[in-house]
Amino acid sequence: MIVKKRDATNHKVAYLETYEAPDMDSVQRQGLKQAAARLKASCTSDNACSQIDSYFADSKDWLVIHDLRIQHAHQIIQINHLLISSALDFYIVDSRYLKSGLTLNENGQCWVQNNNRNVPIASPLNKLNRDIRIMRDIIKSAKQLPRFLGISPMINVQGYILTNPSLKTHKPLSSELDTSAVIASDMLFATVWEKRQSWMRSKVNNIDSITLYKLTQALLSMHTPTTPQLVMNNNMVNAGHLQHPEQDTTHCAKCSKPVTAYVREQCFRHMGRLRGQVLCVPCQAAVQNEPKRPAVSGL
């Protein structure tokens, strides 16, 4: 299930490039143009999102977050894709080299194949290891983890760097440098699924959809987009030439608050215990805590 799409959507870029207000000055206009340029240059591509979605978007056991940028304890991590399973497996996916091949040596130095040339780059392994470490701290600080018998479950945070399967990736021996996180993009699903099916992970009880939703919302509440807040306000919807084709208009049957696509999907899967209604998360909890009415026998 897709929880968050990439930030660099076409309608956001179009809005930033065309927005005008009577009180705007040249500095503000330049700021909007720079924001549009940053979105266009986003390293999270449509192609990468589509490839990830093709494997995980339709699965009820996986949540997909594209473009996640969080500042935590004076550190910032920017993640292309975050996969979350119902067994609390978290996978950070770096798709910046989806169209490239990589060359790594035993000292951790890295080159990317670009137009038949090897161009030196900062080690993506160093960035990935740093992101994994910070993400572990962020998840623990979210305070939304379920507890079983008073004990929090084991959190599994790992990551992968995707490369072009048609290009050769040169890696040193595993004894010299651990490069197991660098894989061809077409191996992502098989690799993640194999790890998830390990004996220890298979013994972990899947958490319920409401708890998982609260955890993902806690993460999303920390997201700080690189674009100005202007692109997120109501003016964007009110612009006559621009609309939100993906905007969700479903509402809770009890309190009438808007319901996201993810919550609506979970309601459809659990119509029996929700009495055939689409409900927001608080109302779902209220309904499930209500005592069951005794069946009335015929006279």
Side-chain angles (χ1 to χ4, degrees):
M1 182 71 185
I2 302 174
V3 178
K4 178 185 176 298
K5 298 182 179 180
R6 66 191 290 253
D7 288 335
T9 57
N10 291 334
H11 65 273
K12 284 184 182 178
V13 173
Y15 177 73
L16 288 170
E17 291 179 331
T18 60
Y19 179 80
E20 282 287 343
D23 56 345
M24 282 181 64
D25 56 28
S26 59
V27 174
Q28 291 173 323
R29 290 191 183 92
Q30 184 63 26
L32 291 179
K33 290 181 180 179
Q34 290 175 350
R38 285 197 297 271
L39 284 181
K40 285 184 174 180
S42 170
C43 59
T44 305
S45 67
D46 257 335
N47 183 40
C49 292
S50 298
Q51 188 162 338
I52 298 257
D53 293 345
S54 66
Y55 291 120
F56 299 97
D58 294 333
S59 172
K60 62 182 179 63
D61 294 324
W62 289 94
L63 300 183
V64 182
I65 297 176
H66 299 299
D67 267 347
L68 187 62
R69 183 176 184 270
I70 297 179
Q71 181 173 348
H72 177 72
H74 307 293
Q75 299 182 92
I76 295 178
I77 60 171
Q78 188 149 359
I79 296 172
N80 297 135
H81 321 275
L82 180 64
L83 307 176
I84 308 173
S85 80
S86 56
L88 288 182
D89 299 294
F90 294 81
Y91 291 97
I92 296 172
V93 180
D94 184 345
S95 61
R96 291 176 297 164
Y97 310 103
L98 191 66
K99 297 182 178 180
S100 310
L102 294 177
T103 298
L104 300 100
N105 67 14
E106 63 278 5
N107 297 319
Q109 295 174 306
C110 187
W111 294 262
V112 62
Q113 296 177 23
N114 187 5
N115 296 326
N116 296 322
R117 295 189 307 115
N118 283 338
V119 179
I121 60 172
S123 172
L125 283 173
N126 290 344
K127 178 184 182 303
L128 181 63
N129 291 331
R130 172 182 174 272
D131 289 348
I132 290 173
R133 184 180 69 255
I134 297 174
M135 179 55 66
R136 287 197 184 105
D137 294 337
I138 290 173
I139 294 169
K140 292 177 181 178
S141 69
K143 298 180 180 179
Q144 293 290 344
L145 289 176
R147 298 179 71 87
F148 303 103
L149 300 177
I151 302 174
S152 296
M154 180 178 59
I155 303 172
N156 175 39
V157 183
Q158 298 186 57
Y160 292 101
I161 301 164
L162 304 185
T163 62
N164 190 332
S166 64
L167 295 177
K168 179 68 174 178
T169 294
H170 303 277
K171 300 190 289 185
L173 297 175
S174 57
S175 58
E176 298 173 337
L177 179 69
D178 182 9
T179 58
S180 57
V182 181
I183 62 173
S185 60
D186 58 357
M187 292 298 296
L188 176 64
F189 180 79
T191 304
V192 166
W193 190 255
E194 181 181 351
K195 285 184 178 294
R196 188 169 184 262
Q197 291 297 99
S198 67
W199 182 88
M200 182 172 291
R201 301 303 301 171
S202 66
K203 299 302 180 184
V204 177
N205 292 327
N206 288 0
I207 64 174
D208 63 273
S209 59
I210 294 178
T211 303
L212 189 59
Y213 170 77
K214 288 181 178 179
L215 175 59
T216 56
Q217 292 307 301
L219 292 177
L220 291 180
S221 68
M222 304 178 195
H223 174 62
T224 55
T226 56
T227 55
Q229 186 62 27
L230 181 65
V231 303
M232 305 302 292
N233 64 17
N234 291 332
N235 290 336
M236 187 172 182
V237 181
N238 295 332
H241 63 285
L242 186 62
Q243 297 296 329
H244 280 282
E246 73 274 18
Q247 191 176 28
D248 197 336
T249 56
T250 304
H251 291 75
C252 175
K254 277 188 170 293
C255 67
S256 300
K257 291 182 179 178
V259 173
T260 65
Y262 173 70
V263 174
R264 181 186 61 205
E265 183 75 16
Q266 295 303 316
C267 290
F268 288 156
R269 292 198 174 103
H270 303 288
M271 278 294 178
R273 71 185 190 192
L274 297 179
R275 302 176 186 175
Q277 304 175 101
V278 173
L279 304 172
C280 66
V281 172
C283 289
Q284 286 184 36
V287 167
Q288 294 181 66
N289 290 332
E290 291 177 359
K292 296 183 179 179
R293 298 176 182 176
V296 177
S297 58
L299 298 179

